[in-house]
Amino acid sequence: MKQEYLKYIRDNVFPTAFCPGCGHGILLNAFVSALGELDYDQDNLVLVSGIGCGGWIASPHMNTDTLHTTHGRAIPFAIGVKLANPKLKVVVISGDGDLTTIGGNHLIHAARRRIPITVICGNNNIYGMTGGQASATTPVGAKTMTTPLGNDYRPFDLVKLVKGAGGEHVYRYTAFHAMQMKKAFKDVLQKDDFSFFDILTGCPVQYGRRNELREPAKMIQWMKDNSVLYSGEYHDDKIMVGKF
Amino acid sequence: MPIEKKKTHLKAGKYFMQGDEACAEGAVAAGCTFFAGYPITPASEIMETIVRRFEEEKRVFVQMEDEIASMGAIVGASWTGAKSMTATSGPGFSLKMENLGYAIMTETPCVVVDVQRVGPSTGQATRTAQGDLMQARWGTHGEHTIIALSPWSVEEAFYETVRAFNLAEEFRTPVIILMEEATGHLRETVAVREAIEIFNRVEEGNGAPFGGEEPLDAVPPMPRFGTGHRLLVTGSTHDPHGYRKTQDRVTQERLLSHLQQKIEYHKERIVQWEEYELDDAETVLISFGFAARAALKAVKDARKKGIKAGLMRLKTVWPMPTERFETLAAQAKTLIVPEMNFGQLRGEVQRFTGGKKVIGVNRADGEVITPESILRAVEGGTSL
Ligand SMILES: Cc1ncc(C[n+]2csc(CCOP(=O)(O)OP(=O)(O)O)c2C)c(N)n1
């Protein structure tokens, strides 16, 4: 990140609360770089988040108006901000537990209505902050605190979920795809439409340590090896990345 | 000046309307520009009236996917400078509780209407009750203070809604309007005045945007989003600039004290009640909302029979005028609290009577409490 982009980060927020190797930091970096490259007006931007480590990506790091809300409810608060003042650019950044598990209902309705907000899910496939319980995006077989023998239930495919609900401008990237992620952020920041990002951030501490991906480098490598760029064909056994 | 004299959108004069309608008209008059709702009996007519008025006036109405979302949306809207509101009944009121606490913690002005119906749970949707008095006070978790108003007539539904917005703006806090189904669906005359006084929040000023600095009871300025303040709003414990301080005992203590003192130290601006025939009263009735209508009738009937009865009617139910409870308890031979629940107000009054027993007249079967049942208690009480 360029030095001058630090204007988008509050002065007194380092060291961050994120664990070493946390992919939420890569997401934050890509988002700030997107703002920087656009020289985006930070005083016309409102970042809304829920509860969890994912909710901390924006609050307090981002040097913009920030609304750190209740668990799962970031989207309704964001809708209130956007509808009351449509001139503002409103971006929700939060975790998978927050946006898709406790808050899943709000997500599908925002997609259905195509409310002109951007929703970015920092998806680490687990409830990181509370110690590693299964979420709606935990893969089948994955070990978590609440599924020590492996998760029995199928996860949401967030791209299909949001598209199925009527959402447009739907993207997925992993922590390996920082450049592509940044470019896509730049695209949506210049539009006033609904858009959704499933960003696989990875949680080496809570997810990795239980699933043989404790080393952050190994987790990123795993993301790289298992992802395929979407070009019309969707493979359910791969991490499909790109624009959908 | 934050206080403004504003012409009402309705021409001055007499209107015949429903309590729910009057509440919505009061909101429009007060300058409410954002309403988020979800359908529920017996509160839906508020939303219905708002939809009609907001279309005419180009204000923002949104029907959300549930009451949790409605409560979240009005808090978000409030941070853009809007006066915002939601309206519901018991089941929806329960769902709003977590985000109501968020509004308290983040000092976000907004108005939440609860048109009370019979509970618990789905209960009886079209039947009246006063079972949410304590929920309004303590429904959201954690130590906190709340303002709640209780109109007893359709006309008051109009003016108390205006007052609710004014208090929300002045004290930067959610204000609850506790109505009953009986008032919400009642049709009565409302005398609309030419102009009303409204309070607009102080947006710019010295100091940080959240409480916790001395003096602790001062209400901080509330800048709006999009004006370069780069606000940090969080429901976690925060310092006056909004930085989370989730391990620090001093920050928590100061924030809690602030949230309490800004309301409790200014009770004289918030707490209102009316007194009827209390000067020489030996039997003192204390009541609120629709039940107070029956209580007043009972007082009049008792007077005709030569019984010295009087009524204190709470307009503000939270905080309560507890000092007045004490003086009335000292004066009275008999204290009676009629209400449409099993004694939620009675318990509160009882704490301030110096041991004098408070008699309850209670009804919670979905029907309105009657003057006759209250009169019987008055007669029984005085013959003791
Ligand atoms: C209503 C409510 N329930 C539970 C919690 C406890 N809680 C805090 S964070 C969290 C999980 C967050 O998980 P996720 O959104 O996936 O974020 P991560 O920490 O993994 O980034 C939970 C359940 C809460 N704060 N509020």
Side-chain angles (χ1 to χ4, degrees):
Chain A
M1 195 201 296
K2 285 198 190 147
Q3 194 67 25
E4 71 231 49
Y5 300 169
L6 284 176
K7 69 174 181 182
Y8 295 105
I9 304 273
R10 285 180 206 268
D11 290 338
N12 38 352
V13 292
F14 294 116
T16 88
F18 295 146
C19 310
C22 173
H24 287 346
I26 295 171
L27 195 171
L28 174 64
N29 194 322
F31 189 74
V32 168
S33 299
L35 294 174
E37 287 179 19
L38 295 170
D39 195 21
Y40 204 86
D41 178 5
Q42 73 204 88
D43 290 326
N44 198 52
L45 177 63
V46 181
L47 285 172
V48 187
S49 63
I51 299 294
C53 302
W56 286 1
I57 296 171
S59 170
H61 296 107
M62 292 298 303
N63 193 20
T64 64
D65 287 324
T66 57
L67 188 61
H68 177 238
T69 67
T70 48
H71 189 29
R73 317 301 169 194
I75 288 174
F77 285 79
I79 290 175
V81 173
K82 182 66 186 179
L83 296 186
N85 184 354
K87 289 196 209 94
L88 296 170
K89 178 73 190 171
V90 180
V91 179
V92 174
I93 308 182
S94 215
D96 51 292
D98 189 78
L99 285 172
T100 78
T101 313
I102 186 170
N105 196 36
H106 308 304
L107 176 63
I108 56 175
H109 287 282
R112 173 178 67 82
R113 297 169 170 201
R114 297 186 183 162
I115 304 274
I117 58 173
T118 291
V119 179
I120 303 173
C121 181
N123 179 0
N124 55 16
N125 305 103
I126 203 156
Y127 284 43
M129 181 173 280
T130 43
Q133 299 82 4
S135 80
T137 61
T138 302
V140 173
K143 295 198 169 89
T144 71
M145 179 204 282
T146 46
T147 59
L149 303 177
N151 182 26
D152 285 337
Y153 302 108
R154 290 181 307 148
F156 277 141
D157 177 325
L158 297 184
V159 164
K160 288 186 182 171
L161 179 73
V162 173
K163 288 208 65 139
E168 285 185 319
H169 311 292
V170 177
Y171 303 78
R172 179 187 290 122
Y173 293 107
T174 77
F176 173 74
H177 301 90
M179 297 307 281
Q180 294 92 322
M181 201 191 298
K182 180 188 70 185
K183 197 188 155 300
F185 288 158
K186 281 170 72 176
D187 287 347
V188 303
L189 278 166
Q190 297 175 85
K191 294 202 188 90
D192 196 26
D193 294 324
F194 176 82
S195 52
F196 176 78
F197 288 83
D198 179 17
I199 303 290
L200 297 179
T201 49
C203 177
V205 173
Q206 298 297 357
Y207 187 88
R209 89 179 136 96
R210 295 179 169 99
N211 295 284
E212 289 158 33
L213 292 168
R214 177 65 187 87
E215 281 308 308
K218 198 174 160 193
M219 184 171 272
I220 300 268
Q221 185 67 40
W222 180 87
M223 288 173 174
K224 179 179 175 222
D225 293 345
N226 286 280
S227 53
V228 173
L229 184 67
Y230 177 68
S231 57
E233 233 176 286
Y234 202 98
H235 305 284
D236 282 326
D237 57 339
K238 291 287 175 198
I239 304 170
M240 299 306 300
V241 298
K243 183 171 185 192
F244 301 89
Chain B
M1 249 323 256
I3 298 169
E4 177 195 343
K5 224 155 161 92
K6 190 170 163 279
K7 271 185 79 100
T8 47
H9 63 293
L10 298 169
K11 272 210 346 235
K14 292 222 151 84
Y15 292 82
F16 192 61
M17 53 174 120
Q18 235 187 18
D20 278 354
E21 263 178 278
C23 173
E25 298 288 8
V28 174
C32 172
T33 56
F34 187 95
F35 185 103
Y38 189 84
I40 190 166
T41 305
S44 290
E45 291 89 340
I46 297 177
M47 182 161 72
E48 193 183 338
T49 310
I50 288 280
V51 169
R52 188 157 29 83
R53 283 280 177 233
F54 273 25
E55 252 171 35
E56 294 161 10
E57 310 228 351
K58 303 250 176 313
R59 307 185 190 190
V60 183
F61 164 79
V62 57
Q63 181 181 330
M64 295 299 287
E65 53 273 17
D66 59 36
E67 288 88 344
I68 300 173
S70 316
M71 188 65 215
I74 68 165
V75 171
S78 184
W79 277 97
T80 71
K83 290 186 181 178
S84 63
M85 180 187 194
T86 185
T88 187
S89 185
F93 197 47
S94 291
L95 284 180
K96 288 182 194 296
M97 284 300 145
E98 189 192 8
N99 285 343
L100 177 70
Y102 182 87
I104 294 171
M105 190 63 150
T106 54
E107 308 191 54
T108 308
C110 54
V111 173
V112 180
V113 186
D114 173 19
V115 188
Q116 295 167 91
R117 63 191 232 183
V118 163
S121 192
T122 313
Q124 295 179 321
T126 59
R127 299 297 166 144
T128 196
Q130 294 182 313
D132 304 349
L133 180 65
M134 282 297 164
Q135 186 184 19
R137 178 67 187 88
W138 294 115
T140 195
H141 62 278
E143 182 59 49
H144 63 273
T145 301
I146 195 94
I147 299 175
L149 312 182
S150 163
W152 80 331
S153 66
V154 174
E155 181 161 293
E156 251 189 27
F158 182 92
Y159 287 106
E160 287 296 277
T161 303
V162 174
R163 192 161 79 93
F165 275 98
N166 288 350
L167 292 172
E169 295 284 309
E170 181 172 356
F171 294 98
R172 265 190 74 178
T173 190
V175 173
I176 293 168
I177 300 175
L178 266 189
M179 297 217 288
E180 296 89 26
E181 182 278 337
T183 319
H185 284 163
L186 183 70
R187 285 186 182 278
E188 273 181 344
T189 306
V190 179
V192 174
R193 292 197 289 269
E194 170 94 29
I196 51 166
E197 236 173 43
I198 64 167
F199 194 104
N200 299 311
R201 78 189 63 164
V202 177
E203 296 193 26
E204 303 288 335
N206 295 327
F210 301 100
E213 282 171 350
E214 296 293 344
L216 280 178
D217 68 322
V219 178
M222 181 179 174
R224 63 176 73 188
F225 283 166
T227 55
H229 285 83
R230 301 177 191 166
L231 294 158
L232 256 181
V233 185
T234 178
S236 300
T237 298
H238 48 271
D239 71 16
H241 296 277
Y243 283 94
R244 271 197 303 281
K245 290 279 176 339
T246 55
Q247 310 282 333
D248 179 41
R249 154 183 90 70
V250 176
T251 310
Q252 169 67 10
E253 214 270 331
R254 292 178 71 84
L255 181 55
L256 265 195
S257 303
H258 162 68
L259 294 176
Q260 185 192 32
Q261 289 178 18
K262 74 173 179 179
I263 292 171
E264 297 288 343
Y265 284 19
H266 299 277
K267 271 172 72 168
E268 77 290 345
R269 292 196 48 72
I270 301 167
V271 181
Q272 291 187 5
W273 69 91
E274 280 186 347
E275 304 197 346
Y276 308 85
E277 317 243 20
L278 277 177
D279 287 350
D280 64 341
E282 292 172 355
T283 300
V284 170
L285 279 65
I286 301 178
S287 190
F288 69 106
F290 204 88
R293 298 167 72 110
L296 182 59
K297 175 81 167 62
V299 163
K300 287 181 179 159
D301 291 346
R303 285 276 167 180
K304 277 185 209 144
K305 295 186 171 198
I307 302 168
K308 289 183 176 166
L311 169 69
M312 175 190 198
R313 173 178 76 89
L314 309 182
K315 283 175 76 174
T316 308
V317 281
W318 300 111
M320 282 193 188
T322 52
E323 297 82 1
R324 188 59 182 139
F325 292 167
E326 282 168 357
T327 56
L328 284 174
Q331 163 188 339
K333 287 199 180 126
T334 308
L335 282 162
I336 299 175
V337 174
E339 56 189 321
M340 277 134 55
N341 59 49
F342 284 167
Q344 297 186 24
L345 176 60
R346 174 170 31 110
E348 279 305 291
V349 174
Q350 186 69 72
R351 300 201 292 134
F352 299 92
T353 62
K356 198 173 277 180
K357 192 173 167 357
V358 184
I359 298 165
V361 180
N362 307 96
R363 181 160 203 181
D365 62 355
E367 302 291 334
V368 297
I369 199 164
T370 62
E372 296 73 34
S373 65
I374 300 170
L375 185 61
R376 274 198 297 279
V378 171
E379 288 173 327
T382 48
S383 67
L384 281 178

